[in-house]
Amino acid sequence: MIEPIILSKTDSTLANTIFNNLLANEPVTLILVIGDNTQSNGAVLKITSSINSDDHFYNGIRVVQAPNTSFIIDTLKRLHVSPRLDDIDWDSIDSYILLSISNDHNNIGNVVLASKYDNRSTYYIEKSIMLAMAYDQNLNS
């Protein structure tokens, strides 16, 4: 079984080390779940269940939970963002529940507001994965 990756909520160095290692060394699409509450914990369980299902769509996907986003916010701000997305409100990062990060170029392909997630959770998860895959290209230019 593929377990979710839960970043430390008390040790910023450990959280950054694990997150940076994932970005640098894991050839997978990351679904970053923000927060440590009922909604975010449910999202982690839902995505983990899908990853461990027989659905090939979820091969190469890993779920990472960031209970304390302040530890990794600087790293997130350095990632390129899909040109199709509106600007991410980094000062209100906790208003989001999901960010999808592409596996090769570490681009943010999609973000999902926590206020929208519960209406269509499967849709937002799958859309985030597809958009991360679609924008896994060099966005430096």
Side-chain angles (χ1 to χ4, degrees):
M1 180 165 151
I2 299 171
E3 297 291 334
I5 300 156
I6 312 294
L7 301 179
S8 175
K9 62 175 137 181
T10 58
D11 185 335
S12 64
T13 303
L14 181 60
N16 271 297
T17 300
I18 291 170
F19 189 63
N20 288 329
N21 184 54
L22 288 168
L23 293 175
N25 299 315
E26 295 295 326
V28 294
T29 299
L30 299 176
I31 301 298
L32 180 67
V33 178
I34 296 171
D36 184 20
N37 54 49
T38 302
Q39 185 184 39
S40 59
N41 293 335
V44 169
L45 289 174
K46 183 176 187 73
I47 298 166
T48 300
S49 176
S50 296
I51 289 170
N52 287 295
S53 71
D54 290 332
D55 189 338
H56 293 297
F57 180 74
Y58 290 93
N59 287 349
I61 307 299
R62 296 295 177 269
V63 62
V64 180
Q65 185 175 13
N68 190 340
T69 52
S70 66
F71 292 163
I72 62 167
I73 192 76
D74 290 335
T75 300
L76 290 172
K77 287 179 179 179
R78 287 191 294 269
L79 300 178
H80 291 286
V81 178
S82 164
R84 293 186 63 199
L85 289 179
D86 292 333
D87 290 338
I88 296 174
D89 184 356
W90 295 114
D91 294 329
S92 297
I93 191 70
D94 292 330
S95 66
Y96 300 99
I97 188 167
L98 300 179
L99 278 84
S100 61
I101 302 172
S102 66
N103 71 339
D104 189 26
H105 290 282
N106 297 327
N107 300 322
I108 296 175
N110 196 40
V111 294
V112 178
L113 289 167
S115 61
K116 291 185 175 186
Y117 174 79
D118 287 334
N119 296 342
R120 298 170 59 194
S121 59
T122 301
Y123 165 78
Y124 285 118
I125 292 166
E126 291 181 354
K127 178 182 178 182
S128 294
I129 292 168
M130 288 188 291
L131 288 173
M133 291 176 180
Y135 285 96
D136 196 14
Q137 53 193 293
N138 187 347
L139 296 177
N140 282 323
S141 51

